[in-house]
């Protein structure tokens, strides 16, 4: 079994919008959220063998700082970035609700059946994340690692939670993934995922 702790990026310059592939930066608050979580994790004796990161700067900038701080290798995980929202990129949910309420409702209730205009479908996103997990685990096997930190996005965490809890994929948007917070998982492979309780 491998343990992967997923750290969601903190508050960003466009946090009020859907910014899947939009490469916005962390705010000072976002940096503080992530650093506080990292410090709490280290105080709880949590240790990692490597750090993986989404390439988007709201993840990668902090991951690079943490890797240097902890003297750990930083390994790119390009497949583990957020879902691309197409025409809804960098648009607030409120604005979408005002201009396309039926489309937003369909996406919220049945994301497997409705894809925003020019966006990545949920099924394609699921397959990409599965492939990304396989790559990540293969890296860990090759290096002999057992524990890794992955700095990533809310959609990735929600998808893993959904799969770990064996919930229908249409429930993915109902899962929680707080900004700057850690979610811990144990995996045997990309299809065998278990949520671990947070350590005190």
């Amino acid at each position: 079994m491998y343990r992967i702790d997923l750290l969601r990026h903190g508050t960003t310059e466009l946090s009020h919008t859907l910014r899947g592939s939009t490469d916005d930066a962390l705010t000072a608050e976002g940096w503080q959220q992530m650093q506080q979580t990292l410090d709490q994790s280290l105080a709880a004796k949590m240790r990692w063998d490597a750090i993986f990161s989404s390439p988007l700067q709201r993840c990668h900038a902090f991951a690079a700082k943490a890797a240097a701080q902890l003297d750990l290798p930083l390994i790119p995980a390009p497949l583990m970035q957020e879902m691309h929202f197409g025409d809804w990129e960098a648009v607030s949910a409120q604005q979408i609700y005002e201009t396309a309420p039926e489309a937003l409702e369909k996406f919220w209730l049945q994301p497997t059946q409705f894809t925003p205009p020019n966006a990545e479908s949920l099924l394609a996103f699921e397959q990409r994340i599965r492939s990304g997990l396989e790559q990540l685990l293969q890296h860990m096997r090759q290096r002999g690692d057992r524990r890794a930190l992955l700095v990533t996005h809310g959609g990735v965490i929600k998808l893993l939670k959904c799969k770990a809890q064996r919930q229908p994929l249409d429930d993915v948007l109902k899962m929680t993934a707080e900004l700057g917070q850690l979610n811990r998982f144990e995996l045997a492979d990309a299809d065998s995922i278990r949520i671990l309780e947070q350590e005190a």
Side-chain angles (χ1 to χ4, degrees):
M1 300 296 286
Y2 298 88
R3 198 184 82 195
I4 303 177
D5 298 329
L6 276 68
L7 174 62
R8 187 184 180 190
H9 63 78
T11 302
T12 69
E13 294 170 347
L14 295 173
S15 272
H16 60 290
T17 69
L18 301 177
R19 69 268 182 241
S21 59
T22 302
D23 199 11
D24 59 329
L26 290 168
T27 62
E29 179 188 16
W31 276 96
Q32 184 179 17
Q33 290 167 333
M34 298 175 80
Q35 188 63 53
Q36 183 175 5
T37 296
L38 182 66
D39 291 344
Q40 290 171 347
S41 300
L42 295 174
K45 308 298 183 187
M46 294 175 67
R47 297 292 182 267
W48 303 285
D49 301 312
I51 296 178
F52 293 82
S53 179
S54 158
L56 297 182
Q57 62 175 323
R58 58 186 181 268
C59 297
H60 189 270
F62 183 84
K65 178 177 180 287
Q69 176 185 338
L70 302 177
D71 193 25
L72 292 174
L74 176 60
I75 303 168
L79 293 179
M80 304 302 286
Q81 72 177 53
E82 187 60 280
M83 178 189 291
H84 174 60
F85 289 107
D87 293 356
W88 291 1
E89 279 285 325
V91 180
S92 70
Q94 180 62 34
Q95 187 175 343
I96 298 167
Y97 177 74
E98 291 171 358
T99 57
E102 291 182 5
L104 185 62
E105 183 180 24
K106 288 177 183 176
F107 180 61
W108 179 256
L109 295 176
Q110 285 192 302
T112 60
Q113 303 299 315
F114 179 84
T115 301
N118 299 308
E120 180 179 25
S121 73
L122 179 57
L123 296 179
F125 175 65
E126 178 191 30
Q127 186 55 49
R128 171 163 65 79
I129 298 306
R130 186 184 183 283
S131 297
L133 276 179
E134 286 289 6
Q135 284 188 7
L136 194 153
L137 290 170
Q138 184 177 7
H139 250 295
M140 293 179 72
R141 291 186 197 104
Q142 289 172 346
R143 290 173 39 86
D145 295 340
R146 307 299 299 179
R147 301 166 298 180
L149 176 66
L150 169 61
V151 186
T152 187
H153 306 268
V156 178
I157 295 168
K158 290 178 181 183
L159 179 65
L160 263 62
K161 278 189 171 183
C162 197
K163 293 174 76 69
Q165 296 175 15
R166 293 173 173 76
Q167 296 298 313
L169 195 55
D170 275 326
D171 287 347
V172 68
L173 299 178
K174 300 170 187 172
M175 300 289 145
T176 58
E178 301 299 326
L179 288 166
Q181 294 302 304
L182 201 68
N183 289 267
R184 306 179 61 231
F185 296 89
E186 191 174 65
L187 299 86
D189 54 49
D191 296 311
S192 176
I193 305 170
R194 185 167 71 93
I195 298 175
L196 297 177
E197 295 299 320
Q198 297 289 350
E199 294 178 358

